[in-house]
Amino acid sequence: MRGSGYVVRRIVFAVITIYVVLTLNFVLFRVLPGNAVTRISRVPNASPKLKHALEVQFGLDRPLWVQYGRYLDQLFHGNLGISYVNQRPVFDNLRDALQNTIPMVAIGTVLALVIGVAVGVLSAVRRGTVTDHASTNLAVLFYAFPTQFLGLMLLMMFAGVLPTAGMSDAFAINPSGWSHLVDIGKHMILPVATLVLTLYAENALIVRSAMLETLGEDFILTARAKGVPRRRIIRSYALRNAMLPTITLIALSLGSIVTGAILIEVIFSWPGIGRALYGAVLARDYPMLQGGFLVITITVVVLNLLADLLYARLDPRIRH
Amino acid sequence: MSTTVTSTIGVDTDADLGSGAWRTIRSVLRQPSTIVGLVIVGLFVLSAVLSPVIAPYSVSQSSCKVFAPPSGKHWLGCDDGGIDVLSLVLHGGGVSMIVGVFATLICMIVGAGFGILSGYFGGWVDIVLMRITDYFLVIPQIVLMIVIAAVWGPNLSHVIVVIGALMWTGTARVVRAQVMSIRERAYVRRVEALGAGHLRIIAHHIIPQVGPLLAANAVLAMTVAIFNETALAFLGLSDPTAITWGTIMEHAFDRAAAGAGAWWAIAPAGVAVALFIVGCYLIGRSIEDALNPRLRVSYLSPRSWTLRPLVGRGPEAI
């Protein structure tokens, strides 16, 4: 009973958060310094006639609450506005960009998780040894390197060996299904490697500390006293429990995965959501920026909700 | 009568607290990682302060060929404008640190404020403030930073405010947890029963107690702030005229240093950021570990103690 109460509370909170994000998205582009019309027209000293025409066109002459209502109504119909830059619906732009981002980020995140857990468990189990010191210090170092620095270094190291820009070879003539896929895979190596290098370290450090904390608990001492084999203690007792805080923390860092993806996409010209956002910033394409913020935020909120629910399923103590 | 008693208790706890804080500082200083961290950060601060004197060349005038590789004259080579990279990195450090310090200050004020109020008063105050915190914790902050910075305009003070105003959630949560436990301690209850006001209790008994925790948090927040500055700068959202570690990298990337193979235009700033962050990290970790020595026990292989990672940002820190 109390368990379902927790689930309902999390879902309600996620829904409220998304509503707040929607509203913030509306407010943010209106309250920040700078007149909306000036920004839309991108002409600082536009004539009053042009200004008025723009105001009417964008409905800015209406009362604020009418604008807000219209904004929400449009959103529910999937209308995020029209990009200033390519005159396409923002929704279509974002959908195409997300389709390119998701495979790259998903592969990178999973690899970083696998490597991070392996390294973290290894150094927690061998704690105090040379292995532990080396892998922990290396992780701290990689954790400290800015993403763009790692990306650029990889780019320079492998320029000429691996493709460093874009998602596929633009000059390939009629690529067939398989060779096209191989081409995309090759293009993906460097961006994914950068993502893994920036993410694995944090995961390894989190897993290591969670493992150490679990290994310090009394049930481990009991298990040892009972003569449970070491391997079994690590796998069935410690790792299982250590994965719980790991899942939450990784869920919390989903936001930073988005950041990493933005920087990586900019460096490797990956045509994803990050680069779309970057382009929107450079071109001051506000509808794009607004839509991108909305889509990324809602994605992260939903993923966080899923992680929360997973966490509650794995650890019944959480549902308080 | 009651005032005398209050002040006696106050003196008592203050004396106790003094030795406690001193013990914390001593145990922090005993860890080798603290010393390494302090040396790294100290050297960076020193070089930033002395940069006008020790920088070998001017950062506004070209002194060698475009993308000249490192040489005896220019240890770290030159950038796209023929400006000495070593001088740039020395100058940029100071500005990066200023951004970091002020953003951290904002983060500490907001975070400590939220944490203390919500931990101290509990009830509705707690619920409202923690919902707001949860909200900021869930949204991808860097994207909001990018949006605000883009709409607001590229300016160093904007960057500071944007970074500071969006990264206080971890601090708020950690402080709240600490305040909740301090508030339940007998002497705080006693002082309250004797008629001390909320303001007095917070100022005299709560804030001094969360001091070390705030210090640890501030050092770790510094790392996040500097990181975020480089990210914003890299996306062209920092002040284009300011020289920071972030803008140095952005500049080099923008002017195709990567295509020219001029790693020396990018690497020094990146390495400087990493070293500085490692330094802060070591200090912050040591303070946190002195406050929470629980993690030194492991029943599987009780050998020695090493670094503990950044876990303080999640709910587990509570």
Side-chain angles (χ1 to χ4, degrees), chain A residues 13 29 33 125 127 132-133 143-145 148-149 202 205 208-209 213 215-217 224 252 259 278 281 286 300-301, chain B residues 134-135 138 142 144 147 151-152 227 230 235 237 253 266-267 274 294 296 299 301 306-307 309-311 313-316:
Chain A
F13 177 63
F29 289 86
V125 170
R127 132 177 156 139
D132 176 28
H133 282 292
Y143 176 79
F145 278 126
Q148 68 270 33
F149 167 79
E202 194 172 2
L205 293 171
R208 178 178 180 276
S209 95
E213 202 154 343
L215 289 176
E217 304 238 5
R224 255 174 79 84
L252 276 172
T259 337
Y278 177 67
V281 167
Y286 286 100
V300 172
V301 170
Chain B
D134 276 349
Y135 167 70
V138 165
I142 191 75
L144 189 54
V147 169
V151 177
W152 202 357
F227 228 61
T230 66
L235 298 173
L237 293 168
F253 173 68
I266 299 165
R294 188 167 51 114
R296 295 185 192 180
Y299 289 124
S301 50
T306 42
L307 279 168
L310 251 171
V311 185
R313 293 186 294 175
E316 297 314 304

Short mmCIF file of all heavy atoms in Angstrom, two decimals, chain A residues 13 29 33 125 127 132-133 143-145 148-149 202 205 208-209 213 215-217 224 252 259 278 281 286 300-301, chain B residues 134-135 138 142 144 147 151-152 227 230 235 237 253 266-267 274 294 296 299 301 306-307 309-311 313-316:
data_model
loop_
_atom_site.label_atom_id
_atom_site.label_comp_id
_atom_site.label_asym_id
_atom_site.label_seq_id
_atom_site.Cartn_x
_atom_site.Cartn_y
_atom_site.Cartn_z
N PHE A 13 4.87 14.24 -8.84
CA PHE A 13 5.95 15.22 -8.82
C PHE A 13 6.52 15.44 -10.22
O PHE A 13 6.78 16.57 -10.62
CB PHE A 13 7.06 14.76 -7.86
CG PHE A 13 8.24 15.69 -7.84
CD1 PHE A 13 8.11 17.00 -7.42
CD2 PHE A 13 9.48 15.24 -8.29
CE1 PHE A 13 9.20 17.85 -7.43
CE2 PHE A 13 10.57 16.10 -8.30
CZ PHE A 13 10.42 17.41 -7.86
N PHE A 29 11.54 33.30 -21.72
CA PHE A 29 11.81 34.05 -22.95
C PHE A 29 11.04 35.37 -22.99
O PHE A 29 11.04 36.05 -23.99
CB PHE A 29 11.49 33.18 -24.16
CG PHE A 29 12.49 32.09 -24.33
CD1 PHE A 29 12.35 30.89 -23.66
CD2 PHE A 29 13.63 32.28 -25.11
CE1 PHE A 29 13.29 29.89 -23.80
CE2 PHE A 29 14.57 31.29 -25.25
CZ PHE A 29 14.41 30.09 -24.58
N PRO A 33 15.97 40.23 -19.76
CA PRO A 33 16.19 41.53 -20.36
C PRO A 33 16.15 41.49 -21.89
O PRO A 33 16.55 40.50 -22.49
CB PRO A 33 17.59 41.89 -19.88
CG PRO A 33 17.80 41.12 -18.65
CD PRO A 33 16.97 39.89 -18.76
N VAL A 125 37.43 -3.73 -4.11
CA VAL A 125 37.80 -5.04 -3.58
C VAL A 125 39.30 -5.11 -3.28
O VAL A 125 39.73 -5.70 -2.29
CB VAL A 125 37.39 -6.13 -4.59
CG1 VAL A 125 37.97 -7.46 -4.20
CG2 VAL A 125 35.88 -6.23 -4.64
N ARG A 127 41.15 -2.69 -2.34
CA ARG A 127 41.39 -1.36 -1.82
C ARG A 127 42.73 -1.25 -1.12
O ARG A 127 43.17 -2.14 -0.40
CB ARG A 127 40.25 -1.03 -0.88
CG ARG A 127 40.60 -0.48 0.42
CD ARG A 127 39.30 -0.20 1.04
NE ARG A 127 39.38 -0.19 2.45
CZ ARG A 127 38.73 0.71 3.17
NH1 ARG A 127 37.99 1.60 2.56
NH2 ARG A 127 38.82 0.69 4.45
N ASP A 132 44.21 -0.31 -6.94
CA ASP A 132 43.21 0.64 -6.47
C ASP A 132 43.72 2.07 -6.63
O ASP A 132 43.03 2.91 -7.21
CB ASP A 132 42.89 0.34 -4.99
CG ASP A 132 41.93 1.35 -4.41
OD1 ASP A 132 41.13 1.91 -5.19
OD2 ASP A 132 41.97 1.59 -3.20
N HIS A 133 44.93 2.33 -6.15
CA HIS A 133 45.45 3.70 -6.24
C HIS A 133 45.53 4.16 -7.68
O HIS A 133 45.09 5.27 -8.01
CB HIS A 133 46.84 3.76 -5.60
CG HIS A 133 46.79 3.80 -4.10
ND1 HIS A 133 46.29 4.86 -3.42
CD2 HIS A 133 47.15 2.88 -3.18
CE1 HIS A 133 46.35 4.61 -2.12
NE2 HIS A 133 46.86 3.41 -1.95
N TYR A 143 37.95 12.45 -14.50
CA TYR A 143 36.79 13.18 -13.99
C TYR A 143 37.03 14.68 -14.07
O TYR A 143 36.11 15.47 -14.28
CB TYR A 143 36.54 12.74 -12.55
CG TYR A 143 35.44 13.47 -11.87
CD1 TYR A 143 34.13 13.12 -12.11
CD2 TYR A 143 35.72 14.51 -11.01
CE1 TYR A 143 33.11 13.80 -11.49
CE2 TYR A 143 34.71 15.19 -10.38
CZ TYR A 143 33.41 14.83 -10.62
OH TYR A 143 32.41 15.50 -10.02
N ALA A 144 38.30 15.08 -13.90
CA ALA A 144 38.63 16.51 -13.83
C ALA A 144 38.84 17.14 -15.20
O ALA A 144 38.76 18.35 -15.34
CB ALA A 144 39.87 16.71 -12.97
N PHE A 145 39.11 16.32 -16.22
CA PHE A 145 39.34 16.91 -17.55
C PHE A 145 38.04 17.43 -18.12
O PHE A 145 37.04 16.72 -18.13
CB PHE A 145 39.92 15.87 -18.51
CG PHE A 145 41.40 15.68 -18.39
CD1 PHE A 145 41.94 14.42 -18.19
CD2 PHE A 145 42.26 16.76 -18.49
CE1 PHE A 145 43.30 14.24 -18.09
CE2 PHE A 145 43.62 16.59 -18.39
CZ PHE A 145 44.15 15.33 -18.18
N GLN A 148 35.36 18.99 -23.42
CA GLN A 148 35.82 19.50 -24.71
C GLN A 148 37.31 19.28 -24.90
O GLN A 148 37.79 19.05 -26.02
CB GLN A 148 35.45 20.98 -24.89
CG GLN A 148 36.16 21.95 -23.99
CD GLN A 148 35.41 22.16 -22.70
OE1 GLN A 148 34.75 21.26 -22.19
NE2 GLN A 148 35.49 23.35 -22.14
N PHE A 149 38.06 19.28 -23.80
CA PHE A 149 39.49 19.04 -23.88
C PHE A 149 39.75 17.59 -24.33
O PHE A 149 40.51 17.35 -25.28
CB PHE A 149 40.14 19.31 -22.52
CG PHE A 149 41.55 18.81 -22.41
CD1 PHE A 149 42.59 19.53 -22.97
CD2 PHE A 149 41.83 17.62 -21.77
CE1 PHE A 149 43.89 19.07 -22.88
CE2 PHE A 149 43.13 17.15 -21.67
CZ PHE A 149 44.16 17.87 -22.23
N GLU A 202 33.40 9.00 -13.34
CA GLU A 202 32.44 9.33 -12.29
C GLU A 202 31.74 8.05 -11.82
O GLU A 202 31.61 7.83 -10.61
CB GLU A 202 31.42 10.33 -12.81
CG GLU A 202 30.62 10.96 -11.70
CD GLU A 202 29.76 12.09 -12.19
OE1 GLU A 202 29.75 12.35 -13.40
OE2 GLU A 202 29.08 12.70 -11.35
N LEU A 205 34.07 5.98 -9.61
CA LEU A 205 34.25 6.55 -8.28
C LEU A 205 33.00 6.31 -7.42
O LEU A 205 33.10 5.98 -6.24
CB LEU A 205 34.55 8.05 -8.37
CG LEU A 205 35.91 8.39 -9.01
CD1 LEU A 205 36.04 9.87 -9.26
CD2 LEU A 205 37.05 7.91 -8.13
N ARG A 208 32.85 2.59 -6.54
CA ARG A 208 33.88 2.26 -5.56
C ARG A 208 33.43 2.65 -4.16
O ARG A 208 33.51 1.87 -3.22
CB ARG A 208 35.19 2.97 -5.90
CG ARG A 208 36.27 2.69 -4.90
CD ARG A 208 37.58 3.36 -5.27
NE ARG A 208 38.59 3.07 -4.26
CZ ARG A 208 38.73 3.75 -3.14
NH1 ARG A 208 37.91 4.76 -2.89
NH2 ARG A 208 39.65 3.42 -2.27
N SER A 209 32.93 3.88 -4.02
CA SER A 209 32.57 4.33 -2.67
C SER A 209 31.34 3.59 -2.16
O SER A 209 31.26 3.25 -0.97
CB SER A 209 32.38 5.83 -2.63
OG SER A 209 31.05 6.17 -2.79
N GLU A 213 31.33 1.29 1.17
CA GLU A 213 30.34 1.49 2.23
C GLU A 213 29.65 0.16 2.56
O GLU A 213 29.49 -0.20 3.71
CB GLU A 213 29.31 2.52 1.77
CG GLU A 213 28.62 3.17 2.92
CD GLU A 213 28.10 4.56 2.56
OE1 GLU A 213 28.54 5.14 1.56
OE2 GLU A 213 27.24 5.04 3.30
N LEU A 215 30.79 -2.86 1.93
CA LEU A 215 31.74 -3.83 2.49
C LEU A 215 31.99 -3.57 3.97
O LEU A 215 32.49 -4.44 4.67
CB LEU A 215 33.06 -3.78 1.71
CG LEU A 215 33.01 -4.33 0.30
CD1 LEU A 215 34.34 -4.14 -0.40
CD2 LEU A 215 32.64 -5.80 0.32
N GLY A 216 31.67 -2.37 4.42
CA GLY A 216 31.87 -2.05 5.83
C GLY A 216 30.69 -2.44 6.71
O GLY A 216 30.73 -2.27 7.92
N GLU A 217 29.63 -2.95 6.09
CA GLU A 217 28.43 -3.27 6.87
C GLU A 217 28.58 -4.60 7.61
O GLU A 217 29.35 -5.46 7.21
CB GLU A 217 27.21 -3.33 5.93
CG GLU A 217 27.02 -2.06 5.15
CD GLU A 217 25.67 -1.44 5.38
OE1 GLU A 217 24.92 -1.95 6.23
OE2 GLU A 217 25.37 -0.45 4.71
N ARG A 224 31.45 -13.29 6.16
CA ARG A 224 32.84 -13.74 6.23
C ARG A 224 33.03 -14.74 7.37
O ARG A 224 33.69 -15.76 7.22
CB ARG A 224 33.76 -12.54 6.43
CG ARG A 224 34.51 -12.16 5.17
CD ARG A 224 35.28 -10.89 5.38
NE ARG A 224 36.52 -11.13 6.12
CZ ARG A 224 37.64 -11.53 5.54
NH1 ARG A 224 37.67 -11.74 4.24
NH2 ARG A 224 38.72 -11.70 6.24
N LEU A 252 20.77 10.85 -11.47
CA LEU A 252 20.93 12.27 -11.22
C LEU A 252 21.90 12.91 -12.19
O LEU A 252 21.83 14.10 -12.46
CB LEU A 252 21.42 12.49 -9.79
CG LEU A 252 20.33 12.52 -8.74
CD1 LEU A 252 20.93 12.53 -7.36
CD2 LEU A 252 19.46 13.74 -8.95
N THR A 259 24.88 17.56 -21.17
CA THR A 259 25.95 18.55 -21.38
C THR A 259 27.07 17.97 -22.17
O THR A 259 27.55 18.56 -23.13
CB THR A 259 26.65 18.92 -20.05
OG1 THR A 259 25.82 18.67 -18.99
CG2 THR A 259 27.21 20.28 -20.13
N TYR A 278 23.31 24.30 -29.95
CA TYR A 278 24.46 25.19 -30.14
C TYR A 278 24.22 26.13 -31.32
O TYR A 278 24.42 27.34 -31.23
CB TYR A 278 25.71 24.34 -30.37
CG TYR A 278 26.97 25.11 -30.66
CD1 TYR A 278 27.55 25.92 -29.68
CD2 TYR A 278 27.60 25.00 -31.89
CE1 TYR A 278 28.72 26.60 -29.93
CE2 TYR A 278 28.77 25.68 -32.15
CZ TYR A 278 29.34 26.48 -31.19
OH TYR A 278 30.49 27.16 -31.44
N VAL A 281 21.84 28.76 -30.36
CA VAL A 281 22.46 29.81 -29.54
C VAL A 281 23.19 30.79 -30.44
O VAL A 281 23.03 32.01 -30.32
CB VAL A 281 23.44 29.18 -28.52
CG1 VAL A 281 24.32 30.26 -27.90
CG2 VAL A 281 22.69 28.45 -27.43
N TYR A 286 15.45 31.69 -31.20
CA TYR A 286 14.75 31.47 -29.94
C TYR A 286 13.72 30.35 -29.97
O TYR A 286 13.65 29.57 -29.02
CB TYR A 286 14.15 32.78 -29.41
CG TYR A 286 15.22 33.65 -28.84
CD1 TYR A 286 15.74 34.71 -29.57
CD2 TYR A 286 15.77 33.39 -27.58
CE1 TYR A 286 16.77 35.47 -29.06
CE2 TYR A 286 16.78 34.15 -27.08
CZ TYR A 286 17.28 35.20 -27.82
OH TYR A 286 18.30 35.94 -27.32
N VAL A 300 14.82 14.34 -19.55
CA VAL A 300 15.58 14.08 -18.32
C VAL A 300 14.62 13.82 -17.15
O VAL A 300 14.85 12.91 -16.34
CB VAL A 300 16.54 15.25 -18.01
CG1 VAL A 300 17.16 15.08 -16.65
CG2 VAL A 300 17.63 15.32 -19.06
N VAL A 301 13.54 14.59 -17.07
CA VAL A 301 12.59 14.39 -15.98
C VAL A 301 11.99 12.99 -16.05
O VAL A 301 11.90 12.27 -15.05
CB VAL A 301 11.47 15.46 -16.02
CG1 VAL A 301 10.35 15.11 -15.04
CG2 VAL A 301 12.03 16.83 -15.69
N ASP B 134 14.26 20.00 -5.29
CA ASP B 134 14.08 18.82 -6.14
C ASP B 134 13.95 19.21 -7.60
O ASP B 134 14.52 18.59 -8.48
CB ASP B 134 12.80 18.07 -5.74
CG ASP B 134 13.05 17.13 -4.58
OD1 ASP B 134 14.23 16.92 -4.26
OD2 ASP B 134 12.08 16.63 -4.00
N TYR B 135 13.18 20.25 -7.80
CA TYR B 135 12.93 20.69 -9.15
C TYR B 135 14.23 21.09 -9.85
O TYR B 135 14.52 20.68 -10.97
CB TYR B 135 11.93 21.85 -9.12
CG TYR B 135 11.83 22.57 -10.41
CD1 TYR B 135 11.25 21.95 -11.50
CD2 TYR B 135 12.37 23.83 -10.55
CE1 TYR B 135 11.20 22.59 -12.71
CE2 TYR B 135 12.32 24.47 -11.76
CZ TYR B 135 11.74 23.85 -12.84
OH TYR B 135 11.70 24.48 -14.04
N VAL B 138 16.39 18.12 -10.76
CA VAL B 138 15.97 17.24 -11.84
C VAL B 138 16.24 17.85 -13.22
O VAL B 138 16.68 17.16 -14.13
CB VAL B 138 14.47 16.89 -11.69
CG1 VAL B 138 13.93 16.31 -12.97
CG2 VAL B 138 14.27 15.91 -10.55
N ILE B 142 22.69 22.53 -17.08
CA ILE B 142 23.55 23.17 -18.08
C ILE B 142 22.72 23.69 -19.24
O ILE B 142 23.01 24.73 -19.81
CB ILE B 142 24.66 22.21 -18.54
CG1 ILE B 142 25.71 22.95 -19.37
CG2 ILE B 142 24.10 21.06 -19.34
CD1 ILE B 142 26.63 23.78 -18.57
N LEU B 144 19.64 24.79 -19.04
CA LEU B 144 19.02 26.04 -18.57
C LEU B 144 20.07 27.16 -18.56
O LEU B 144 19.79 28.30 -18.94
CB LEU B 144 18.43 25.83 -17.18
CG LEU B 144 17.56 26.95 -16.63
CD1 LEU B 144 16.44 27.30 -17.59
CD2 LEU B 144 16.98 26.58 -15.28
N VAL B 147 20.50 28.35 -22.05
CA VAL B 147 19.36 29.15 -22.50
C VAL B 147 19.42 30.55 -21.87
O VAL B 147 19.33 31.56 -22.57
CB VAL B 147 18.04 28.44 -22.14
CG1 VAL B 147 16.87 29.36 -22.36
CG2 VAL B 147 17.89 27.19 -22.98
N VAL B 151 20.02 34.06 -23.83
CA VAL B 151 19.00 35.11 -23.89
C VAL B 151 19.52 36.39 -23.23
O VAL B 151 19.24 37.50 -23.68
CB VAL B 151 17.71 34.62 -23.19
CG1 VAL B 151 16.67 35.72 -23.17
CG2 VAL B 151 17.15 33.41 -23.92
N TRP B 152 20.30 36.20 -22.18
CA TRP B 152 20.71 37.33 -21.36
C TRP B 152 21.90 38.08 -21.97
O TRP B 152 22.12 39.26 -21.72
CB TRP B 152 21.07 36.81 -19.96
CG TRP B 152 20.99 37.83 -18.91
CD1 TRP B 152 20.69 39.16 -19.06
CD2 TRP B 152 21.24 37.64 -17.52
NE1 TRP B 152 20.72 39.78 -17.85
CE2 TRP B 152 21.05 38.87 -16.89
CE3 TRP B 152 21.59 36.52 -16.75
CZ2 TRP B 152 21.22 39.03 -15.51
CZ3 TRP B 152 21.75 36.69 -15.39
CH2 TRP B 152 21.56 37.93 -14.78
N PHE B 227 34.21 24.17 -14.07
CA PHE B 227 33.82 23.26 -15.13
C PHE B 227 32.72 23.87 -16.00
O PHE B 227 32.80 23.86 -17.22
CB PHE B 227 33.28 22.00 -14.47
CG PHE B 227 33.85 20.76 -15.02
CD1 PHE B 227 35.21 20.52 -14.95
CD2 PHE B 227 33.04 19.82 -15.60
CE1 PHE B 227 35.74 19.37 -15.46
CE2 PHE B 227 33.56 18.66 -16.12
CZ PHE B 227 34.90 18.43 -16.05
N THR B 230 33.91 26.66 -18.24
CA THR B 230 34.58 26.25 -19.48
C THR B 230 33.56 25.74 -20.50
O THR B 230 33.72 25.98 -21.68
CB THR B 230 35.63 25.15 -19.24
OG1 THR B 230 34.97 23.96 -18.81
CG2 THR B 230 36.66 25.55 -18.21
N LEU B 235 30.84 27.07 -25.62
CA LEU B 235 29.68 27.26 -26.49
C LEU B 235 29.52 28.73 -26.88
O LEU B 235 28.50 29.12 -27.44
CB LEU B 235 28.42 26.74 -25.80
CG LEU B 235 28.45 25.24 -25.50
CD1 LEU B 235 27.25 24.85 -24.66
CD2 LEU B 235 28.48 24.44 -26.78
N LEU B 237 29.30 31.38 -24.92
CA LEU B 237 28.35 32.14 -24.11
C LEU B 237 29.02 32.92 -22.99
O LEU B 237 28.36 33.54 -22.18
CB LEU B 237 27.30 31.19 -23.52
CG LEU B 237 26.40 30.57 -24.58
CD1 LEU B 237 25.59 29.44 -23.99
CD2 LEU B 237 25.49 31.62 -25.18
N PHE B 253 39.65 26.35 -30.54
CA PHE B 253 38.78 25.47 -31.32
C PHE B 253 38.15 26.24 -32.47
O PHE B 253 38.13 25.80 -33.61
CB PHE B 253 37.69 24.89 -30.42
CG PHE B 253 36.64 24.11 -31.15
CD1 PHE B 253 36.94 22.92 -31.76
CD2 PHE B 253 35.33 24.58 -31.22
CE1 PHE B 253 35.98 22.20 -32.44
CE2 PHE B 253 34.36 23.87 -31.90
CZ PHE B 253 34.68 22.67 -32.51
N ILE B 266 45.40 24.32 -27.17
CA ILE B 266 44.25 23.84 -26.42
C ILE B 266 44.67 23.16 -25.12
O ILE B 266 44.10 23.41 -24.06
CB ILE B 266 43.42 22.85 -27.27
CG1 ILE B 266 42.90 23.55 -28.53
CG2 ILE B 266 42.27 22.28 -26.48
CD1 ILE B 266 42.41 22.61 -29.58
N ALA B 267 45.68 22.27 -25.24
CA ALA B 267 46.01 21.40 -24.11
C ALA B 267 46.37 22.14 -22.81
O ALA B 267 45.86 21.77 -21.75
CB ALA B 267 47.14 20.45 -24.51
N ALA B 274 42.06 20.81 -15.32
CA ALA B 274 42.04 19.49 -14.67
C ALA B 274 42.85 19.50 -13.38
O ALA B 274 42.40 19.01 -12.35
CB ALA B 274 42.56 18.43 -15.63
N ARG B 294 33.27 7.33 8.84
CA ARG B 294 32.63 6.04 8.77
C ARG B 294 33.22 5.14 7.67
O ARG B 294 33.31 3.94 7.81
CB ARG B 294 31.15 6.28 8.49
CG ARG B 294 30.26 5.09 8.55
CD ARG B 294 28.84 5.58 8.56
NE ARG B 294 28.61 6.52 7.46
CZ ARG B 294 27.80 6.28 6.45
NH1 ARG B 294 27.16 5.16 6.39
NH2 ARG B 294 27.62 7.16 5.50
N ARG B 296 36.01 4.50 6.60
CA ARG B 296 37.35 3.93 6.65
C ARG B 296 37.33 2.45 6.99
O ARG B 296 38.34 1.81 7.01
CB ARG B 296 38.17 4.67 7.68
CG ARG B 296 38.35 6.08 7.22
CD ARG B 296 39.24 6.85 8.10
NE ARG B 296 39.12 8.25 7.74
CZ ARG B 296 39.76 9.19 8.32
NH1 ARG B 296 40.58 8.93 9.31
NH2 ARG B 296 39.62 10.43 7.94
N TYR B 299 35.13 -4.59 5.82
CA TYR B 299 35.41 -5.89 6.43
C TYR B 299 36.02 -6.86 5.43
O TYR B 299 36.35 -7.98 5.79
CB TYR B 299 34.14 -6.48 7.03
CG TYR B 299 33.69 -5.74 8.25
CD1 TYR B 299 32.42 -5.20 8.35
CD2 TYR B 299 34.58 -5.56 9.31
CE1 TYR B 299 32.03 -4.50 9.47
CE2 TYR B 299 34.18 -4.87 10.43
CZ TYR B 299 32.91 -4.34 10.51
OH TYR B 299 32.52 -3.66 11.62
N SER B 301 38.69 -6.17 3.07
CA SER B 301 40.15 -6.05 3.03
C SER B 301 40.55 -4.79 3.78
O SER B 301 40.75 -3.75 3.18
CB SER B 301 40.64 -5.99 1.59
OG SER B 301 39.90 -5.04 0.89
N THR B 306 41.91 5.49 0.85
CA THR B 306 42.25 6.37 -0.28
C THR B 306 41.12 7.34 -0.54
O THR B 306 40.26 7.54 0.30
CB THR B 306 42.54 5.58 -1.57
OG1 THR B 306 41.58 4.55 -1.66
CG2 THR B 306 43.95 5.03 -1.58
N LEU B 307 41.14 7.88 -1.73
CA LEU B 307 40.16 8.91 -2.09
C LEU B 307 38.72 8.43 -2.04
O LEU B 307 38.43 7.28 -2.31
CB LEU B 307 40.41 9.31 -3.53
CG LEU B 307 41.52 10.30 -3.76
CD1 LEU B 307 41.82 10.34 -5.22
CD2 LEU B 307 41.05 11.65 -3.27
N PRO B 309 34.99 9.40 -3.75
CA PRO B 309 34.51 10.22 -4.86
C PRO B 309 33.38 11.17 -4.47
O PRO B 309 32.88 11.16 -3.36
CB PRO B 309 34.01 9.18 -5.85
CG PRO B 309 33.56 8.09 -4.98
CD PRO B 309 34.47 8.05 -3.81
N LEU B 310 33.04 11.95 -5.46
CA LEU B 310 31.98 12.95 -5.29
C LEU B 310 30.63 12.29 -5.19
O LEU B 310 29.97 12.04 -6.18
CB LEU B 310 31.96 13.81 -6.55
CG LEU B 310 32.46 15.24 -6.44
CD1 LEU B 310 32.56 15.81 -7.82
CD2 LEU B 310 31.54 16.06 -5.59
N VAL B 311 30.19 12.01 -4.01
CA VAL B 311 28.86 11.43 -3.87
C VAL B 311 27.92 12.45 -3.26
O VAL B 311 26.72 12.33 -3.33
CB VAL B 311 28.91 10.15 -3.00
CG1 VAL B 311 27.57 9.46 -2.95
CG2 VAL B 311 29.93 9.21 -3.57
N ARG B 313 26.56 14.91 -4.04
CA ARG B 313 25.58 15.66 -4.80
C ARG B 313 24.22 15.00 -4.80
O ARG B 313 23.24 15.63 -5.12
CB ARG B 313 26.06 15.83 -6.24
CG ARG B 313 27.27 16.73 -6.31
CD ARG B 313 27.62 17.00 -7.71
NE ARG B 313 28.06 15.79 -8.37
CZ ARG B 313 28.34 15.73 -9.64
NH1 ARG B 313 28.18 16.78 -10.39
NH2 ARG B 313 28.75 14.63 -10.18
N GLY B 314 24.18 13.72 -4.47
CA GLY B 314 22.92 13.01 -4.58
C GLY B 314 22.18 12.94 -3.27
O GLY B 314 22.65 13.44 -2.25
N PRO B 315 21.03 12.33 -3.29
CA PRO B 315 20.23 12.21 -2.07
C PRO B 315 20.92 11.32 -1.04
O PRO B 315 20.60 11.38 0.14
CB PRO B 315 18.92 11.59 -2.55
CG PRO B 315 19.23 10.99 -3.87
CD PRO B 315 20.35 11.77 -4.45
N GLU B 316 21.87 10.48 -1.49
CA GLU B 316 22.55 9.60 -0.56
C GLU B 316 23.32 10.38 0.49
O GLU B 316 23.64 9.87 1.54
CB GLU B 316 23.53 8.69 -1.32
CG GLU B 316 22.86 7.77 -2.30
CD GLU B 316 21.65 7.11 -1.70
OE1 GLU B 316 21.77 6.45 -0.66
OE2 GLU B 316 20.56 7.28 -2.27
#
